[in-house]
């Protein structure tokens, strides 16, 4: 076991503060990574503030962070995929049983024995897993991804959650040339969804509550932008979408979006607001529409997404911050005041 510098929250109402945490010494199949950047996902904030208490109560102290890129510092004797000095990335998962049908299908995100990167029982050290707001992490090689060499590292970190969470459902629901795809909420997830839908060839429409994001949405790859609080603008798109991805972090009316789907269209929720959402049955019944959800993505598809980003030169638009600004960043995240993802530069931990 060794010590790693980190930022952790002591309770739902405390700010994140400097702390020392334990990491295991790398075992046979482990990769030890010096973390260079970690993105700030809205899920980090939900978890730190215990906003998902009904589903995934937070265990304190909590070290969040599941958008990790860094450099390999050490590998176990059985590790063939990585060597010290390689770039490497870790997302929302750090372990699974590897034997169930979901794991065998490369859909580890559905494994009944999954271990998430933070706030999940830690099989090695006891307690719960600690995430990427830290200078070092040790992860089994099965959950370590390769990073394309051409990508900017600060902008690559958010691909590990915001990237795969938007890429995966779009591949599942066949977003491609000739399809009309909507993206609701231009935040960390939403702006990646726009880039992917555009790169996949779809006609992309962004729904935003922030009129000031219109120009950015077009620059990111949207063909049209709708200010979602304007009913007239919304009505113009009634019954026309093949697919809509909803990436909103707060409670909102999903019925307004269901009504925009064509026959057999699908709305996938990736946003996970604190409270249940209301659903008007006729919005599904009429048009045989469907509503679904989607969690992150499996390891093979996460690597596929990273390679797709390498080939299309896609990264997240980031504001790089030192760790010491994390609490300020959380306040801004709640106000949708970031373009479009905070990425923490872990070099800032050296002074702690
Ligand atoms: N399913 C998964 O596996 C998964 C993975 C990662 C994250 N998530 C969840 O996805 C959600 C989004 O995460 P994120 O990191 O992208 O968050 P984010 O950067 O804060 O973006 C959320 C966006 O939602 C919109 N929004 C915020 N408050 C709103 C309100 N009251 N009404 C309508 N729209 C509002 C804003 O877009 P506009 O300004 O454009 O309106 C905002 O930029 C979170 O709930 C997060 O926990 C799920
Ligand atoms: Zn996330
Ligand atoms: Zn499994």
């Amino acid at each position: 076991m060794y010590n790693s510098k980190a930022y952790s929250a002591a309770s739902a109402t405390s700010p994140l503060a400097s702390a020392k945490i334990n990491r295991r010494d790398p075992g046979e199949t482990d990769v030890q990574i010096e973390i260079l950047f970690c993105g700030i996902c809205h899920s980090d904030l939900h978890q730190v503030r215990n906003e998902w208490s009904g589903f995934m109560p937070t265990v304190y102290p909590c070290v969040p962070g599941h958008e990790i890129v860094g450099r390999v510092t050490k590998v176990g004797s059985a590790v063939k995929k990585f060597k010290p000095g390689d770039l490497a990335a870790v997302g929302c998962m750090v372990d699974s049983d590897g034997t169930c049908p979901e794991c065998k299908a490369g859909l580890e995100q559905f494994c009944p024995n999954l271990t998430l990167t933070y706030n999940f029982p830690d099989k090695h050290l006891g307690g719960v897993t600690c995430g990427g707001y830290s200078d070092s992490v040790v992860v089994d090689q099965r959950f370590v991804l390769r990073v394309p060499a051409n990508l900017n590292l600060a902008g690559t970190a958010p691909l590990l959650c915001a990237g795969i969470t938007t890429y995966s459902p779009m591949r599942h629901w066949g977003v491609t040339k000739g399809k009309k795809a909507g993206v609701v909420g231009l935040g960390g997830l939403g702006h990646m969804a726009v880039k992917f839908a555009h790169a996949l060839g779809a006609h992309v429409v962004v729904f935003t509550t922030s009129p000031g994001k219109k120009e950015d949405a077009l620059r990111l790859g949207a063909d049209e932008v709708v200010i979602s609080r304007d009913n007239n603008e919304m009505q113009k798109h009634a019954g026309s979408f093949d697919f809509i991805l909803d990436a909103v972090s707060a409670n909102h009316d999903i019925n307004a979006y269901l009504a925009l789907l064509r026959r057999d269209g699908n709305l996938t929720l990736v946003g996970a607001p604190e409270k249940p959402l209301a659903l008007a049955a006729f919005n599904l019944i009429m048009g045989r529409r469907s509503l679904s959800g989607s969690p992150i993505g499996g390891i093979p598809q996460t690597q596929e997404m990273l390679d797709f980003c390498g080939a299309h030169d896609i990264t997240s638009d980031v504001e790089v911050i030192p760790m010491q600004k994390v609490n300020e960043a959380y306040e801004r995240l709640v106000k949708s005041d970031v373009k479009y993802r905070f990425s923490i530069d872990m070099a800032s931990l050296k002074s702690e």
Side-chain angles (χ1 to χ4, degrees):
M1 220 161 61
Y2 66 100
N3 264 336
S4 174
K5 290 179 182 176
Y7 261 50
S8 85
S11 78
T13 52
S14 1
L16 289 148
S18 186
K20 288 262 162 52
I21 57 168
N22 291 326
R23 296 294 193 189
R24 68 177 184 269
D25 292 319
E28 261 196 349
T29 60
D30 284 337
V31 178
Q32 183 192 51
I33 299 165
E34 178 197 0
I35 301 176
L36 299 176
F37 293 95
C38 184
I40 298 183
C41 180
H42 207 113
S43 301
D44 301 349
L45 187 152
H46 289 307
Q47 193 79 65
V48 160
R49 299 188 177 175
N50 205 14
E51 290 175 355
W52 294 333
S53 56
F55 179 64
M56 265 201 261
T58 308
V59 179
Y60 296 96
C62 171
V63 178
H66 56 207
E67 295 185 333
I68 299 170
V69 293
R71 208 168 273 286
V72 175
T73 41
K74 211 180 203 180
V75 297
S77 56
V79 174
K80 299 283 174 266
K81 240 169 75 183
F82 296 94
K83 58 179 189 317
D86 286 350
L87 291 174
V90 177
C92 304
M93 309 181 284
V94 290
D95 201 11
S96 73
D97 56 28
T99 54
C100 75
E102 306 291 7
C103 286
K104 285 192 172 147
L107 298 169
E108 298 84 354
Q109 73 273 35
F110 302 115
C111 175
N113 298 305
L114 179 68
T115 302
L116 291 180
T117 304
Y118 59 80
N119 198 60
F120 246 64
D122 186 328
K123 287 185 200 152
H124 300 268
L125 299 177
V128 293
T129 48
C130 291
Y133 294 12
S134 166
D135 60 2
S136 173
V137 69
V138 176
V139 178
D140 187 279
Q141 61 174 343
R142 288 199 295 128
F143 290 86
V144 183
L145 287 307
R146 291 182 312 277
V147 177
N150 58 316
L151 298 180
N152 166 277
L153 287 186
T156 297
L159 301 178
L160 277 300
C161 177
I164 185 60
T165 301
T166 52
Y167 181 84
S168 183
M170 286 199 269
R171 295 309 303 266
H172 181 77
W173 290 99
V175 171
T176 184
K177 199 167 160 46
K179 303 280 181 179
K180 186 172 173 185
V183 175
V184 188
L186 196 66
L189 267 59
H191 93 290
M192 289 313 308
V194 173
K195 292 188 185 205
F196 288 135
H198 176 72
L200 292 167
H203 182 87
V204 187
V205 182
V206 166
F207 296 92
T208 180
T209 59
S210 311
K213 292 181 181 174
K214 194 166 181 172
E215 291 309 311
D216 279 349
L218 296 170
R219 174 179 58 78
L220 292 164
D223 297 287
E224 299 177 63
V225 183
V226 172
I227 307 303
S228 52
R229 292 194 167 122
D230 182 332
N231 273 335
N232 279 342
E233 272 196 63
M234 291 286 282
Q235 280 319 307
K236 286 185 198 152
H237 292 271
S240 69
F241 280 89
D242 297 287
F243 175 77
I244 298 177
L245 189 82
D246 184 326
V248 173
S249 53
N251 284 72
H252 61 292
D253 178 22
I254 55 167
N255 297 292
Y257 297 102
L258 290 170
L260 304 188
L261 294 172
R262 65 164 71 226
R263 170 172 55 78
D264 292 327
N266 170 268
L267 186 147
T268 292
L269 290 175
V270 287
E274 188 174 359
K275 298 198 182 73
L277 300 166
L279 172 69
F282 277 109
N283 280 324
L284 292 183
I285 292 170
M286 305 310 286
R288 198 166 54 192
R289 298 163 175 141
S290 67
L291 169 66
S292 54
S294 185
I296 47 175
I299 291 297
Q301 196 175 45
T302 305
Q303 191 62 61
E304 177 193 307
M305 178 274 309
L306 284 168
D307 295 343
F308 181 89
C309 288
H312 292 83
D313 206 13
I314 292 174
T315 50
S316 174
D317 286 25
V318 289
E319 177 177 339
V320 178
I321 58 161
M323 184 60 104
Q324 292 77 7
K325 289 242 162 108
V326 66
N327 295 304
E328 202 179 297
Y330 273 32
E331 290 315 311
R332 287 180 51 199
L333 190 59
V334 173
K335 295 185 217 144
S336 306
D337 173 26
V338 50
K339 292 183 170 177
Y340 279 87
R341 196 58 139 190
F342 290 111
S343 186
I344 306 168
D345 182 352
M346 289 304 158
S348 60
L349 270 183
K350 292 198 195 317
S351 62
E352 295 280 342

